[in-house]
Amino acid sequence: MERIKEAIEKARAGEQPPRTPRKSFATPSAPAVPVVARHDPASRSSPPDASLDIRYTHTRVVHPDAACLEEHRIIAHQKNHPNSWAFDTLRTQVLQRMDEHGWRVLAVTSPTLDSGKTVVATNLAISIAQQTQRTALLMDFDLRRPSVATVLGLNPDVSLNDVLQRGANVADAMVNPGFERLVVLPTMRPVDRPAELLASPMVAGLIADLRDRYAERVLVVDLPPVLAADDVLSVLPQVDCVLLVVGSGASSEKEIEEAQRRLSRASVVGVVLNKDPSAMPNAYY
Ligand SMILES: Nc1ncnc2c1ncn2[C@@H]1O[C@H](COP(=O)(O)OP(=O)(O)OP(=O)(O)O)[C@@H](O)[C@H]1O
Ligand SMILES: [Mg+2]
């Protein structure tokens, strides 16, 4: 708890975003708590080198609807947006820690509902994909309240539901949402028995395969809240590290404490304090 408290205090003391009257968006602050090593860095790391020239010959490309993205606070692609710097800073901090340990699978969770996990995971994945030597894969493994497709305005015929429930080919479920080097695996509907599914060898194999196929790929996995059920604990062995999003006012101190206890065996790469009103310098926000 102390580490999270310290992280939140550091976030509050951090840099303030510029003042611009745009859609209400409490800028997430991204302090990092100390990293706990879990994997042998040499086993997975491979230093990125030349820029990647990705051609989406198979993956469907869906051109993004700017109004839909803005409505759902997906802004990391807009370099002139007053808050996109926050996601770039978060990206740099998270990737530095991941690279130090050779980690490539980042899970995004929170203690409780509505903390901003999906907004943070999606913006972070977009920001990671803007680095020309990386690719990002955003997976919606919130099998209870999936919403990555909604925030990106996607409505694919084949999704992660079909991969998990009827053995569809994962390549058929991948969508490029109009941003270079970013691929999304959306989930369109809640799934029965999500914790059991997330603990299954099928999901372990899927994540391992998606991670190992391309050395420069970073997987960002959107998850449900830690305290909602045992979904997060079920999938934890398959991810390298965790980013904890704490929504200001969304979780009590006790809930944050309990979330940290449940994540005690995970490598928590950082804590994002999201929706913090003290980070909103403009009365308009
Ligand atoms: N920094 C922010 N400032 C203002 N509103 C935000 C911010 N981040 C997220 N929101 C809003 O809060 C709501 C919840 O966000 P989001 O869906 O990302 O949360 P979540 O933790 O993924 O929720 P769930 O637990 O349902 O998966 C959305 O309406 C989103 O637009
Ligand atoms: Mg969500």
Side-chain angles (χ1 to χ4, degrees):
M1 186 61 195
E2 272 316 303
R3 288 191 305 165
I4 291 186
K5 269 190 186 155
E6 271 170 35
I8 289 173
E9 274 156 24
K10 271 196 227 157
R12 287 210 163 106
E15 195 182 343
Q16 299 287 299
R19 293 159 185 254
T20 313
R22 296 287 285 270
K23 182 174 177 61
S24 169
F25 197 125
T27 310
S29 322
V33 295
V35 174
V36 185
R38 200 162 56 88
H39 292 287
D40 170 12
S43 64
R44 284 203 197 128
S45 67
S46 75
D49 45 14
S51 294
L52 299 169
D53 182 18
I54 306 291
R55 298 263 182 270
Y56 293 99
T57 46
H58 183 81
T59 306
R60 274 161 306 141
V61 180
V62 176
H63 292 290
D65 172 353
C68 170
L69 297 178
E70 177 91 23
E71 183 196 340
H72 292 101
R73 298 184 169 83
I74 305 305
I75 50 87
H77 56 293
Q78 292 184 41
K79 284 304 146 206
N80 58 351
H81 192 285
N83 295 320
S84 65
W85 67 269
F87 293 106
D88 290 349
T89 306
L90 178 63
R91 167 197 66 194
T92 302
Q93 290 181 316
V94 166
L95 289 180
Q96 278 173 356
R97 281 170 180 80
M98 291 181 73
D99 287 348
E100 276 165 25
H101 295 275
W103 293 335
R104 292 209 283 110
V105 185
L106 172 75
V108 180
T109 187
S110 61
T112 52
L113 289 173
D114 251 356
S115 305
K117 294 177 294 298
T118 302
V119 166
V120 170
T122 306
N123 278 301
L124 181 60
I126 292 172
S127 182
I128 291 171
Q130 283 168 346
Q131 292 200 332
T132 52
Q133 75 279 22
R134 315 243 187 202
T135 63
L137 171 58
L138 173 62
M139 300 180 78
D140 194 347
F141 262 144
D142 185 341
L143 303 180
R144 292 173 193 265
R145 293 171 25 130
S147 64
V148 169
T150 305
V151 300
L152 287 170
L154 306 174
N155 190 16
D157 295 332
V158 182
S159 69
L160 205 45
N161 294 87
D162 303 290
V163 176
L164 298 175
Q165 293 171 300
R166 56 169 198 84
N169 187 335
V170 69
D172 294 333
M174 288 184 172
V175 183
N176 167 246
F179 305 118
E180 270 189 87
R181 295 178 294 277
L182 175 64
V183 171
V184 179
L185 268 175
T187 298
M188 301 308 291
R189 297 170 298 283
V191 171
D192 282 345
R193 300 185 171 276
E196 288 83 348
L197 194 55
L198 288 167
S200 70
M202 177 178 43
V203 164
L206 178 65
I207 294 177
D209 184 58
L210 291 168
R211 178 189 56 218
D212 295 340
R213 202 168 282 256
Y214 300 103
E216 74 289 340
R217 182 184 269 171
V218 177
L219 268 65
V220 178
V221 186
D222 190 19
L223 291 179
V226 188
L227 302 184
D230 57 338
D231 298 20
V232 173
L233 295 187
S234 300
V235 80
L236 224 40
Q238 314 312 331
V239 307
D240 295 327
C241 53
V242 174
L243 183 67
L244 189 66
V245 178
V246 176
S248 180
S251 308
S252 67
E253 194 170 323
K254 219 170 153 197
E255 287 167 332
I256 299 171
E257 221 167 64
E258 176 60 16
Q260 201 205 15
R261 199 186 60 74
R262 292 198 196 179
L263 292 173
S264 59
R265 299 185 65 190
S267 300
V268 178
V269 79
V271 180
V272 172
L273 176 62
N274 193 32
K275 305 188 184 185
D276 181 13
S278 67
M280 296 188 293
N282 193 322
Y284 178 89
Y285 280 70

